[in-house]
Structures are given as C-alpha cells and as structure tokens.
Amino acid sequence: ELEMELKMELDMELEMESGMELEAELEMELEIELELELEMEVEMELDMKMELKMELEMEMEMELDTEMELGVELELERELEMELKMELEKELEMMESEMELETELEMELEIELELELEMEVEMELDMKMELKMELE
C-alpha cells in the first residue's frame, strides 16, 4: 500500500513537473510570440513613419518648387515693371521734347508772322507816304 501511495505521489510529482515544464514551455512560446508581434508592430510603425516622412519630404519639395516658381515669376514681373517704367520715362521725355519743339516752332512762327506784319505795315506806310507826297 505504501508502495502504491509512493508510486501515486511520484506519478503526481512527475505530472506536476511535466505540467510545470509544459507551462514554462508555453510561457516561453507565448513570450516569443509576443516579442515577434511587438517586433512586427514596431516594424509597421517604423514603415508608417518612413512613409509619412517621405510624403512630408515630397510635400516640402513641391512647396519649395512652387516657391521657386513664384520667386521666378515675381522676378520676371519686376523686370517687366522696370522695362515698362523705362519705356514710359522714354515716352515722357519724347513727349516733353516734342512739346518743347512745338513751343519753339510756335515762337518762330509767331516771330515770322510779326515780321511779316511789320513788313506789311511798313509797305503800307510807304505807300501812304508816297500817296501823301503825290498829293502834295
């Protein structure tokens, strides 16, 4: 009987030991699975962050390109404005010189007209003098 009891106890101990070993094995497997899952999650998160980083870089590049295009457009606009301003200044100068020329021509014409008028008046005076002398 004692032998049977010892055998049963031994069997129970063996079962407990194998159960504990099984439990330890299961725990290790579970731990390994959890580590693998964690690694996969970390990898997925890293991949997502890399994608986001790449997207941000692309957006920044596009913004830079847009800013550069705008800068070029602004520069071209400024150049055009300067050209237009210079052309306007030239036109103004030409108009001023034309007006000066016109004024000069008007003055010359006025002087010529005055001279002609003087000559006519003189001729008329001469004619009157002649007539007067003839009448006397």
Side-chain angles (χ1 to χ4, degrees):
E1 211 176 282
L2 191 68
E3 200 176 292
M4 283 287 277
E5 240 180 74
L6 280 173
K7 194 174 183 189
M8 278 177 60
E9 263 184 51
L10 213 109
D11 281 347
M12 280 177 63
E13 277 182 36
L14 278 174
E15 273 182 33
M16 278 180 64
E17 274 183 36
S18 66
M20 286 172 77
E21 284 176 11
L22 192 64
E23 194 176 309
E25 260 184 58
L26 284 174
E27 277 180 13
M28 279 179 60
E29 282 180 22
L30 188 62
E31 211 174 289
I32 290 172
E33 279 182 37
L34 285 174
E35 282 180 15
L36 284 173
E37 275 183 43
L38 190 66
E39 274 183 37
M40 283 175 60
E41 279 181 31
V42 167
E43 268 186 48
M44 282 173 55
E45 213 169 294
L46 271 173
D47 287 346
M48 283 174 54
K49 283 184 181 178
M50 283 296 284
E51 272 183 48
L52 274 175
K53 183 183 174 190
M54 286 171 63
E55 283 177 27
L56 277 174
E57 284 176 354
M58 282 176 57
E59 277 181 37
M60 285 173 66
E61 277 183 37
M62 286 171 57
E63 279 181 27
L64 268 174
D65 289 347
T66 305
E67 284 178 16
M68 284 174 63
E69 286 174 16
L70 285 175
V72 167
E73 284 178 20
L74 274 174
E75 189 63 34
L76 284 174
E77 245 179 64
R78 285 188 192 127
E79 286 176 15
L80 275 174
E81 282 177 7
M82 287 294 288
E83 284 178 26
L84 281 173
K85 186 178 176 184
M86 286 172 63
E87 281 181 31
L88 280 173
E89 284 174 359
K90 281 182 187 175
E91 280 185 39
L92 271 174
E93 285 175 13
M94 284 175 59
M95 284 175 68
E96 284 174 2
S97 63
E98 281 178 8
M99 284 174 66
E100 286 173 9
L101 245 174
E102 204 173 286
T103 305
E104 262 184 58
L105 284 174
E106 281 177 2
M107 283 175 63
E108 283 180 20
L109 188 64
E110 208 173 293
I111 291 171
E112 277 183 36
L113 284 174
E114 279 180 25
L115 282 173
E116 273 184 39
L117 190 67
E118 269 183 45
M119 283 175 61
E120 278 181 32
V121 166
E122 253 184 61
M123 280 174 57
E124 215 172 289
L125 265 176
D126 283 349
M127 281 175 53
K128 282 186 183 178
M129 283 295 282
E130 265 181 46
L131 266 174
K132 185 181 175 190
M133 283 175 68
E134 276 180 25
L135 284 173
E136 281 179 10

Coordinates of all heavy atoms in Angstrom, one line a residue, residues 78-107:
R78 N 8.9 91.9 -61.9 CA 9.7 93.1 -61.5 C 10.5 93.6 -62.8 O 10.5 94.8 -63.0 CB 10.7 92.8 -60.4 CG 10.1 92.7 -59.0 CD 11.1 92.6 -57.9 NE 10.4 92.2 -56.7 CZ 10.8 91.2 -55.9 NH1 11.8 90.4 -56.3 NH2 10.1 90.9 -54.8
E79 N 11.1 92.7 -63.5 CA 11.8 93.1 -64.7 C 10.9 93.7 -65.7 O 11.2 94.8 -66.3 CB 12.5 91.8 -65.3 CG 13.7 91.4 -64.6 CD 14.3 90.1 -65.1 OE1 14.0 89.7 -66.3 OE2 15.1 89.4 -64.5
L80 N 9.7 93.1 -65.9 CA 8.7 93.7 -66.8 C 8.3 95.1 -66.3 O 8.2 96.1 -67.1 CB 7.5 92.8 -66.9 CG 7.5 91.7 -67.9 CD1 6.3 90.8 -67.8 CD2 7.7 92.2 -69.3
E81 N 8.1 95.3 -65.0 CA 7.7 96.6 -64.5 C 8.8 97.6 -64.7 O 8.5 98.7 -65.1 CB 7.4 96.5 -63.0 CG 6.1 95.9 -62.6 CD 5.9 95.7 -61.1 OE1 6.8 96.2 -60.3 OE2 4.9 95.1 -60.7
M82 N 10.1 97.2 -64.5 CA 11.2 98.1 -64.8 C 11.2 98.5 -66.2 O 11.4 99.7 -66.6 CB 12.5 97.4 -64.3 CG 12.7 97.3 -62.8 SD 12.8 98.9 -62.1 CE 14.5 99.4 -62.6
E83 N 11.1 97.5 -67.1 CA 11.1 97.8 -68.6 C 10.0 98.8 -68.9 O 10.2 99.7 -69.7 CB 10.9 96.5 -69.4 CG 12.2 95.6 -69.4 CD 12.0 94.4 -70.2 OE1 11.1 94.3 -71.1 OE2 12.7 93.4 -69.9
L84 N 8.8 98.5 -68.4 CA 7.6 99.4 -68.7 C 7.9 100.8 -68.2 O 7.6 101.8 -68.8 CB 6.3 98.8 -68.1 CG 5.7 97.7 -68.8 CD1 4.5 97.1 -68.0 CD2 5.2 98.2 -70.2
K85 N 8.4 100.8 -67.0 CA 8.7 102.1 -66.4 C 9.8 102.9 -67.2 O 9.6 104.1 -67.5 CB 9.3 101.9 -65.0 CG 9.5 103.2 -64.2 CD 10.0 102.9 -62.8 CE 10.4 104.2 -62.1 NZ 10.9 103.9 -60.8
M86 N 10.8 102.2 -67.7 CA 11.8 102.8 -68.5 C 11.2 103.3 -69.9 O 11.4 104.4 -70.3 CB 13.0 101.9 -68.8 CG 13.9 101.7 -67.6 SD 15.1 100.4 -67.8 CE 16.1 101.0 -69.2
E87 N 10.3 102.5 -70.4 CA 9.6 102.8 -71.7 C 8.8 104.1 -71.5 O 8.7 105.0 -72.3 CB 8.8 101.7 -72.2 CG 9.6 100.6 -72.9 CD 8.7 99.5 -73.4 OE1 7.5 99.7 -73.8 OE2 9.2 98.4 -73.5
L88 N 8.0 104.1 -70.3 CA 7.2 105.2 -70.0 C 8.0 106.5 -69.9 O 7.6 107.6 -70.4 CB 6.4 105.0 -68.8 CG 5.1 104.1 -68.9 CD1 4.5 103.8 -67.6 CD2 4.1 104.8 -69.8
E89 N 9.1 106.4 -69.2 CA 10.0 107.5 -69.0 C 10.5 108.0 -70.3 O 10.6 109.2 -70.6 CB 11.2 107.2 -68.1 CG 10.8 107.1 -66.6 CD 11.9 106.6 -65.7 OE1 13.0 106.3 -66.2 OE2 11.7 106.5 -64.5
K90 N 10.9 107.1 -71.2 CA 11.4 107.5 -72.6 C 10.3 108.2 -73.3 O 10.5 109.2 -73.9 CB 11.8 106.3 -73.4 CG 13.2 105.8 -73.0 CD 13.5 104.6 -73.9 CE 14.9 103.9 -73.4 NZ 15.2 102.7 -74.2
E91 N 9.0 107.7 -73.2 CA 7.9 108.3 -73.9 C 7.7 109.7 -73.4 O 7.4 110.6 -74.1 CB 6.6 107.4 -73.8 CG 6.6 106.3 -74.8 CD 5.3 105.5 -74.7 OE1 4.2 106.1 -74.5 OE2 5.4 104.3 -74.8
L92 N 7.7 109.8 -72.0 CA 7.5 111.1 -71.4 C 8.6 112.1 -71.9 O 8.3 113.3 -72.2 CB 7.6 111.0 -69.9 CG 6.3 110.7 -69.2 CD1 6.6 110.5 -67.7 CD2 5.3 111.8 -69.4
E93 N 9.8 111.6 -71.9 CA 10.9 112.5 -72.4 C 10.7 112.9 -73.9 O 10.9 114.1 -74.2 CB 12.3 111.8 -72.3 CG 12.8 111.7 -70.9 CD 14.1 110.9 -70.8 OE1 14.7 110.6 -71.8 OE2 14.5 110.5 -69.7
M94 N 10.2 111.9 -74.7 CA 10.0 112.3 -76.1 C 8.8 113.3 -76.2 O 8.9 114.2 -77.0 CB 9.6 111.0 -76.9 CG 10.8 110.1 -77.2 SD 10.4 108.6 -78.0 CE 9.6 109.1 -79.4
M95 N 7.8 113.0 -75.4 CA 6.7 114.0 -75.4 C 7.1 115.4 -74.9 O 6.7 116.4 -75.5 CB 5.5 113.5 -74.5 CG 4.7 112.3 -75.1 SD 3.5 111.7 -73.9 CE 2.4 113.0 -73.8
E96 N 7.9 115.4 -73.9 CA 8.4 116.7 -73.4 C 9.2 117.4 -74.5 O 9.1 118.6 -74.8 CB 9.3 116.5 -72.2 CG 8.5 116.3 -70.9 CD 9.3 116.0 -69.7 OE1 10.6 116.0 -69.8 OE2 8.7 115.7 -68.6
S97 N 10.1 116.6 -75.2 CA 11.0 117.2 -76.2 C 10.1 117.7 -77.4 O 10.3 118.7 -78.0 CB 12.1 116.3 -76.6 OG 11.6 115.1 -77.2
E98 N 9.0 116.9 -77.7 CA 8.1 117.2 -78.8 C 7.4 118.5 -78.4 O 7.2 119.4 -79.3 CB 7.1 116.1 -79.0 CG 7.6 115.0 -79.8 CD 6.6 113.9 -80.0 OE1 5.4 114.0 -79.6 OE2 7.0 112.8 -80.5
M99 N 7.0 118.6 -77.1 CA 6.3 119.8 -76.7 C 7.2 121.0 -76.8 O 6.8 122.1 -77.2 CB 5.7 119.7 -75.3 CG 4.5 118.8 -75.2 SD 4.0 118.4 -73.5 CE 3.5 120.0 -73.0
E100 N 8.5 120.8 -76.4 CA 9.4 121.9 -76.5 C 9.6 122.3 -77.9 O 9.7 123.5 -78.2 CB 10.8 121.5 -75.8 CG 10.8 121.4 -74.3 CD 12.1 120.8 -73.8 OE1 13.0 120.6 -74.5 OE2 12.1 120.5 -72.6
L101 N 9.8 121.3 -78.8 CA 9.9 121.6 -80.2 C 8.7 122.4 -80.7 O 8.8 123.4 -81.5 CB 10.0 120.3 -81.0 CG 11.4 120.0 -81.7 CD1 11.4 118.6 -82.2 CD2 11.7 121.1 -82.7
E102 N 7.5 121.9 -80.3 CA 6.3 122.6 -80.8 C 6.3 124.0 -80.3 O 5.9 124.9 -81.0 CB 5.1 121.8 -80.2 CG 3.8 122.0 -80.9 CD 2.8 121.0 -80.4 OE1 2.8 119.8 -80.6 OE2 1.9 121.5 -79.7
T103 N 6.7 124.2 -79.0 CA 6.7 125.6 -78.5 C 7.7 126.4 -79.3 O 7.4 127.6 -79.6 CB 7.1 125.5 -77.0 OG1 6.2 124.7 -76.3 CG2 7.1 126.9 -76.4
E104 N 8.8 125.9 -79.5 CA 9.9 126.6 -80.3 C 9.3 127.0 -81.7 O 9.5 128.1 -82.1 CB 11.1 125.7 -80.5 CG 12.2 126.0 -79.5 CD 13.4 125.2 -79.8 OE1 14.0 125.2 -81.0 OE2 13.8 124.4 -78.9
L105 N 8.7 126.0 -82.4 CA 8.1 126.3 -83.7 C 7.1 127.3 -83.6 O 7.0 128.2 -84.5 CB 7.6 125.0 -84.3 CG 8.6 124.0 -84.8 CD1 7.8 122.7 -85.2 CD2 9.3 124.5 -86.0
E106 N 6.2 127.3 -82.6 CA 5.2 128.3 -82.4 C 5.8 129.7 -82.2 O 5.3 130.7 -82.8 CB 4.3 128.0 -81.2 CG 3.3 126.9 -81.5 CD 2.5 126.5 -80.2 OE1 2.6 127.1 -79.1 OE2 1.6 125.6 -80.3
M107 N 6.9 129.7 -81.4 CA 7.5 131.0 -81.2 C 8.1 131.5 -82.5 O 8.0 132.7 -82.9 CB 8.6 130.9 -80.1 CG 8.0 130.9 -78.7 SD 9.3 130.6 -77.5 CE 10.3 132.0 -77.7

